[in-house]
Amino acid sequence: MIGASARAAAQSALRAGYRPWCIDMFADRDLREAAPVRRVPAGTYPAGILKLLQDGDVPAEAPVLFTGAMENHLDIVQAIAMQRELLTSGVEAMRAVRDPEALASMPAFEHVHPCRAWRKASLGWRLSQRWLGGKFAGLRVIKPLRSAGGKRVRLWHRGARVTGDEYLQQYIQGQPIAAVYNSDGWSARLLGVTRQIIGDAALGAEGFEYSGSIGPIELSAPQRSGLSRLGVALAQRFDLRGVFGVDAVVNADGIIWPVEVNPRYTASVEVIERGGGVAALRSDPLSPGERAGVRGLPDEEGTRIAHVRSDMVGKAYVYARQDGVVPDLTTLFDSDTVADIPDAGSPVRAGQPICTLFAGGDSESAVLTALHDQARTLYTRMQS
């Protein structure tokens, strides 16, 4: 498991019956409890991954699963792919599916329409300039080509400067969602859909910053059919493999507008696993008996796999509002409601994630309220 944060993927691997070995930027307390982990030294991410992979004690035949926006570091992905089997999409697939104009060119399906997008200096960009100056001016967002967690995404306005490493995308007003699939490069199984929490000030986020997920959510039959067909089309056109995700927006008419494909394990996966009885890294569906157990596996050999039992599950990234020191989170929260746990006394800077919180409930609003309450408790303790 390799990426900025490997904890969620490691716990997914345990649910699916694998023995994970991890490299990430944090080596948080709960990840150390779940699996062997090596922390990339400060200032060396992502290049430092290669040295740790070579020097570590992971078996040479062990395949690799990427998480944490590794598609932004294709040189590292390529170097690893030359040495090991990948359980995710390859370099060319990652590069191709992250081209915003390629996603925009996908066909429309029932209740699913691709968003228009334009890369600077492309033919589509030049043709769009006259249109951008008309009555649709302003209904755009500027996004980085190498994005992560919604950072640096902003609304476009007349005269705004778009750099060569950014692009423009049609702005859709509505509810952000995320779909998760498992693919073999030809077929793709829709595992579930979550509601995304974006720019939530109560969690210390702003703008378009990803703050968490709630789910699994129900879709209409046409919406689910359209998303299922989209997943198959993406897998076949771009040779996507393993777990991947599609971020989208549902407008007031119920039309789903895909805005981005994440060609690796995504943040929404564990919400679907915990709330929906799914083991995402399994290529085959779970039996009824396995589904009953996957929500919260019992401790085995001292390994804790956090879980929440409820109708819906939510996770929230809580960001620091100011520089501070992380308290002992294991005394502040129940073990099944907190993850990505730094060691007590670890410094955290304003804007950095502190930890991940989980809550359950019988509705989206109830789950979100519970997450806000937990975040308030954390902020209060950090100020005391």
Side-chain angles (χ1 to χ4, degrees), residues 15 189 277-280 282 284-292 294:
R15 290 188 181 95
R189 181 162 53 101
V278 173
R282 282 272 295 267
D284 56 318
L286 296 176
S287 68
E290 290 172 321
R291 285 173 60 86
V294 79

mmCIF file of all heavy atoms in Angstrom, residues 15 189 277-280 282 284-292 294:
data_model
loop_
_atom_site.group_PDB
_atom_site.id
_atom_site.type_symbol
_atom_site.label_atom_id
_atom_site.label_comp_id
_atom_site.label_asym_id
_atom_site.label_seq_id
_atom_site.Cartn_x
_atom_site.Cartn_y
_atom_site.Cartn_z
ATOM 1 N N ARG A 15 -9.670 -6.451 5.440
ATOM 2 C CA ARG A 15 -11.038 -6.924 5.251
ATOM 3 C C ARG A 15 -11.126 -7.937 4.104
ATOM 4 O O ARG A 15 -11.957 -8.842 4.121
ATOM 5 C CB ARG A 15 -11.971 -5.743 4.955
ATOM 6 C CG ARG A 15 -12.212 -4.820 6.124
ATOM 7 C CD ARG A 15 -13.288 -3.788 5.801
ATOM 8 N NE ARG A 15 -13.487 -2.894 6.926
ATOM 9 C CZ ARG A 15 -12.900 -1.713 7.070
ATOM 10 N NH1 ARG A 15 -12.084 -1.279 6.140
ATOM 11 N NH2 ARG A 15 -13.127 -0.970 8.137
ATOM 12 N N ARG A 189 -17.465 -3.173 -11.755
ATOM 13 C CA ARG A 189 -18.582 -3.360 -10.840
ATOM 14 C C ARG A 189 -18.738 -2.114 -9.978
ATOM 15 O O ARG A 189 -17.789 -1.684 -9.308
ATOM 16 C CB ARG A 189 -18.327 -4.595 -9.977
ATOM 17 C CG ARG A 189 -19.428 -4.932 -8.993
ATOM 18 C CD ARG A 189 -19.292 -6.369 -8.520
ATOM 19 N NE ARG A 189 -17.963 -6.656 -7.994
ATOM 20 C CZ ARG A 189 -17.681 -6.706 -6.691
ATOM 21 N NH1 ARG A 189 -18.619 -6.483 -5.800
ATOM 22 N NH2 ARG A 189 -16.467 -6.993 -6.288
ATOM 23 N N GLY A 277 -21.316 -3.186 3.805
ATOM 24 C CA GLY A 277 -20.949 -4.594 3.845
ATOM 25 C C GLY A 277 -20.222 -5.040 2.598
ATOM 26 O O GLY A 277 -20.520 -6.083 2.017
ATOM 27 N N VAL A 278 -19.246 -4.248 2.154
ATOM 28 C CA VAL A 278 -18.499 -4.525 0.930
ATOM 29 C C VAL A 278 -17.017 -4.640 1.270
ATOM 30 O O VAL A 278 -16.514 -3.916 2.129
ATOM 31 C CB VAL A 278 -18.701 -3.379 -0.096
ATOM 32 C CG1 VAL A 278 -17.790 -3.561 -1.298
ATOM 33 C CG2 VAL A 278 -20.147 -3.312 -0.531
ATOM 34 N N ALA A 279 -16.322 -5.550 0.640
ATOM 35 C CA ALA A 279 -14.865 -5.595 0.690
ATOM 36 C C ALA A 279 -14.368 -5.192 -0.689
ATOM 37 O O ALA A 279 -14.362 -5.990 -1.620
ATOM 38 C CB ALA A 279 -14.372 -6.987 1.072
ATOM 39 N N ALA A 280 -13.989 -3.927 -0.836
ATOM 40 C CA ALA A 280 -13.722 -3.356 -2.161
ATOM 41 C C ALA A 280 -12.574 -4.030 -2.892
ATOM 42 O O ALA A 280 -12.561 -4.063 -4.120
ATOM 43 C CB ALA A 280 -13.443 -1.858 -2.025
ATOM 44 N N ARG A 282 -11.824 -7.119 -2.902
ATOM 45 C CA ARG A 282 -12.178 -8.445 -3.378
ATOM 46 C C ARG A 282 -12.732 -8.316 -4.790
ATOM 47 O O ARG A 282 -13.592 -7.483 -5.063
ATOM 48 C CB ARG A 282 -13.244 -9.066 -2.475
ATOM 49 C CG ARG A 282 -12.716 -9.626 -1.163
ATOM 50 C CD ARG A 282 -12.280 -11.072 -1.324
ATOM 51 N NE ARG A 282 -13.396 -11.944 -1.646
ATOM 52 C CZ ARG A 282 -14.105 -12.603 -0.754
ATOM 53 N NH1 ARG A 282 -13.832 -12.482 0.540
ATOM 54 N NH2 ARG A 282 -15.093 -13.392 -1.122
ATOM 55 N N ASP A 284 -14.530 -10.570 -6.219
ATOM 56 C CA ASP A 284 -15.824 -11.238 -6.272
ATOM 57 C C ASP A 284 -16.726 -10.698 -5.163
ATOM 58 O O ASP A 284 -16.246 -10.281 -4.117
ATOM 59 C CB ASP A 284 -15.656 -12.745 -6.100
ATOM 60 C CG ASP A 284 -14.927 -13.086 -4.806
ATOM 61 O OD1 ASP A 284 -13.945 -12.385 -4.474
ATOM 62 O OD2 ASP A 284 -15.339 -14.027 -4.108
ATOM 63 N N PRO A 285 -18.041 -10.674 -5.379
ATOM 64 C CA PRO A 285 -18.959 -10.198 -4.344
ATOM 65 C C PRO A 285 -18.886 -11.085 -3.098
ATOM 66 O O PRO A 285 -18.595 -12.279 -3.179
ATOM 67 C CB PRO A 285 -20.339 -10.299 -5.015
ATOM 68 C CG PRO A 285 -20.054 -10.320 -6.478
ATOM 69 C CD PRO A 285 -18.743 -11.024 -6.620
ATOM 70 N N LEU A 286 -19.163 -10.486 -1.932
ATOM 71 C CA LEU A 286 -19.151 -11.227 -0.684
ATOM 72 C C LEU A 286 -20.415 -12.071 -0.544
ATOM 73 O O LEU A 286 -21.486 -11.703 -1.020
ATOM 74 C CB LEU A 286 -19.065 -10.263 0.505
ATOM 75 C CG LEU A 286 -17.786 -9.424 0.617
ATOM 76 C CD1 LEU A 286 -17.908 -8.467 1.784
ATOM 77 C CD2 LEU A 286 -16.576 -10.316 0.784
ATOM 78 N N SER A 287 -20.285 -13.184 0.152
ATOM 79 C CA SER A 287 -21.443 -14.000 0.500
ATOM 80 C C SER A 287 -22.213 -13.298 1.615
ATOM 81 O O SER A 287 -21.690 -12.398 2.273
ATOM 82 C CB SER A 287 -20.989 -15.379 0.978
ATOM 83 O OG SER A 287 -20.322 -15.254 2.224
ATOM 84 N N PRO A 288 -23.482 -13.665 1.850
ATOM 85 C CA PRO A 288 -24.247 -13.051 2.937
ATOM 86 C C PRO A 288 -23.526 -13.131 4.280
ATOM 87 O O PRO A 288 -23.532 -12.179 5.058
ATOM 88 C CB PRO A 288 -25.556 -13.835 2.934
ATOM 89 C CG PRO A 288 -25.708 -14.289 1.512
ATOM 90 C CD PRO A 288 -24.317 -14.590 1.050
ATOM 91 N N GLY A 289 -22.913 -14.270 4.577
ATOM 92 C CA GLY A 289 -22.194 -14.406 5.838
ATOM 93 C C GLY A 289 -21.002 -13.473 5.920
ATOM 94 O O GLY A 289 -20.729 -12.873 6.958
ATOM 95 N N GLU A 290 -20.267 -13.319 4.821
ATOM 96 C CA GLU A 290 -19.119 -12.415 4.806
ATOM 97 C C GLU A 290 -19.567 -10.972 4.920
ATOM 98 O O GLU A 290 -18.922 -10.154 5.586
ATOM 99 C CB GLU A 290 -18.313 -12.623 3.519
ATOM 100 C CG GLU A 290 -17.580 -13.946 3.477
ATOM 101 C CD GLU A 290 -16.963 -14.194 2.113
ATOM 102 O OE1 GLU A 290 -17.606 -13.862 1.095
ATOM 103 O OE2 GLU A 290 -15.852 -14.728 2.075
ATOM 104 N N ARG A 291 -20.686 -10.629 4.265
ATOM 105 C CA ARG A 291 -21.206 -9.268 4.338
ATOM 106 C C ARG A 291 -21.539 -8.888 5.778
ATOM 107 O O ARG A 291 -21.327 -7.760 6.200
ATOM 108 C CB ARG A 291 -22.461 -9.116 3.475
ATOM 109 C CG ARG A 291 -22.190 -9.057 1.993
ATOM 110 C CD ARG A 291 -23.493 -9.070 1.219
ATOM 111 N NE ARG A 291 -24.337 -7.929 1.571
ATOM 112 C CZ ARG A 291 -24.259 -6.719 1.009
ATOM 113 N NH1 ARG A 291 -23.350 -6.508 0.074
ATOM 114 N NH2 ARG A 291 -25.065 -5.752 1.369
ATOM 115 N N ALA A 292 -22.046 -9.828 6.541
ATOM 116 C CA ALA A 292 -22.417 -9.549 7.929
ATOM 117 C C ALA A 292 -21.187 -9.233 8.778
ATOM 118 O O ALA A 292 -21.269 -8.466 9.732
ATOM 119 C CB ALA A 292 -23.175 -10.731 8.515
ATOM 120 N N VAL A 294 -18.115 -7.983 7.573
ATOM 121 C CA VAL A 294 -17.156 -7.013 7.063
ATOM 122 C C VAL A 294 -17.339 -5.624 7.648
ATOM 123 O O VAL A 294 -16.457 -4.786 7.599
ATOM 124 C CB VAL A 294 -17.220 -6.948 5.520
ATOM 125 C CG1 VAL A 294 -18.406 -6.108 5.051
ATOM 126 C CG2 VAL A 294 -15.916 -6.386 4.963
#
